[in-house]
Amino acid sequence: MFHGQTYTRKLDSRVLNVLSSIAQSASKFANDMRLLQHEKELEEPFEKGQIGSSAMAYKRNPMRSERINSLSRHVISLSLDPAMTASTQWLERTLDDSANKRICVPETFLAVDGILILYANITSGIVVYNNVIRKHVMEELPFMGTEEILMKAVLKGGDRQELHEKIRCYSMEAAREVKEFGRTNDLVDRIAEDSSFGFSKEEILEILNPDGLCGRAVHQVEEYICNVVDPLLEANQELLQDLNVEVNV
């Protein structure tokens, strides 16, 4: 379709909305990355020549993810410019859009380009600390698995209402020990010591096996990678080969 000087400025708004959507998703990823690096579960790749305070062991902040957040914030704010222009145009066209468009449109494309380079750089070399992740999971697992313990105890003839109340109380007490005194989570011991549940500690730990509590999560991830991610990567192989994801840090 041919557009002259009088094309609707809604087109600019639609284009920048797409770019804003990219920025929103990238920023969500960056937020999660920053949170998980704070928990020492994941870490941004570390460049050989990386210098500055961010390279120090006591700091090591996820500076590329922080930069994605910063640029994304700018892109999201710029997407409001063409929306305001489109909503205030007079009749066919007025010239109040020109200066604004020459700033917001190219700046948005340039910022999103930077976001995607940072995104690709991070994802190409994320460091995963499996042992830390497992440690955190095991610390919270007794709380997360209480429903499974309750259901299996009921199957053995226990009273659901009674056991539900006991689990609630034991969970509150165990959480207090962890939060107020920094002690280990002793919820499993509390439940094992209560004969009304009818489980030994070993049996409870077997119930709390993480592999049996994640449903179809593993298969869903594998299916998504095989059916969605891999075909996209294969279809864009030439583009990916020319992609330079090096950044100065």
Side-chain angles (χ1 to χ4, degrees):
M1 181 182 295
F2 175 78
H3 294 289
Q5 287 289 318
T6 57
Y7 81 94
T8 172
R9 266 49 186 175
K10 285 293 288 291
L11 290 178
D12 295 339
S13 181
R14 290 169 184 165
V15 169
L16 263 65
N17 279 339
V18 172
L19 298 176
S20 173
S21 180
I22 293 172
Q24 292 164 36
S25 296
S27 189
K28 173 62 171 64
F29 160 82
N31 279 332
D32 290 345
M33 189 70 206
R34 291 168 66 185
L35 174 63
L36 293 173
Q37 182 156 326
H38 174 268
E39 296 295 319
K40 297 181 175 60
E41 294 186 2
L42 299 182
E43 195 168 86
E44 287 185 353
F46 191 75
E47 306 294 342
K48 292 181 179 179
Q50 188 167 330
I51 60 174
S53 62
S54 296
M56 299 301 289
Y58 67 84
K59 192 174 183 184
R60 290 295 297 275
N61 59 304
M63 57 188 301
R64 275 157 282 195
S65 294
E66 293 169 345
R67 197 178 299 174
I68 286 177
N69 285 144
S70 181
L71 290 172
S72 295
R73 196 175 303 139
H74 185 52
V75 168
I76 293 167
S77 67
L78 285 176
S79 68
L80 296 176
D81 277 5
M84 293 297 295
T85 297
S87 68
T88 57
Q89 284 290 288
W90 290 17
L91 302 175
E92 290 291 335
R93 175 178 181 255
T94 58
L95 292 176
D96 63 298
D97 74 313
S98 298
N100 183 285
K101 177 179 179 178
R102 290 183 180 123
I103 296 171
C104 70
V105 172
E107 280 197 4
T108 302
F109 274 97
L110 288 170
V112 169
D113 190 48
I115 288 169
L116 293 176
I117 289 173
L118 289 164
Y119 206 152
N121 175 269
I122 295 170
T123 56
S124 66
I126 290 178
V127 181
V128 180
Y129 295 111
N130 291 309
N131 290 330
V132 177
I133 294 173
R134 179 171 180 79
K135 175 177 177 290
H136 290 163
V137 169
M138 297 309 293
E139 287 173 348
E140 297 298 324
L141 196 59
F143 295 131
M144 295 188 290
T146 50
E147 189 69 26
E148 191 74 12
I149 295 171
L150 176 62
M151 289 191 296
K152 290 189 181 300
V154 171
L155 287 174
K156 291 184 68 174
D159 182 280
R160 187 185 185 283
Q161 291 300 112
E162 176 190 350
L163 297 180
H164 186 280
E165 178 61 17
K166 286 188 174 185
I167 282 183
R168 186 186 71 82
C169 293
Y170 291 152
S171 297
M172 296 286 288
E173 293 167 1
R176 181 171 176 270
E177 290 291 312
V178 172
K179 295 175 182 177
E180 294 189 18
F181 305 106
R183 296 171 183 147
T184 57
N185 188 340
D186 64 353
L187 180 57
V188 171
D189 292 321
R190 293 174 185 270
I191 295 174
E193 291 168 2
D194 189 329
S195 59
S196 59
F197 286 91
F199 293 123
S200 66
K201 183 175 180 178
E202 290 70 25
E203 289 173 322
I204 295 174
L205 291 175
E206 181 60 31
I207 294 172
L208 295 178
N209 185 339
D211 293 337
L213 298 175
C214 56
R216 292 197 65 252
V218 174
H219 302 292
Q220 287 174 320
V221 171
E222 291 174 346
E223 289 170 4
Y224 183 76
I225 292 174
C226 292
N227 300 330
V228 179
V229 177
D230 285 345
L232 283 173
L233 292 175
E234 185 175 348
N236 294 278
Q237 195 61 42
E238 292 185 8
L239 178 64
L240 293 171
Q241 288 176 348
D242 297 331
L243 182 65
N244 180 10
V245 297
E246 293 182 7
V247 296
N248 293 322
V249 291

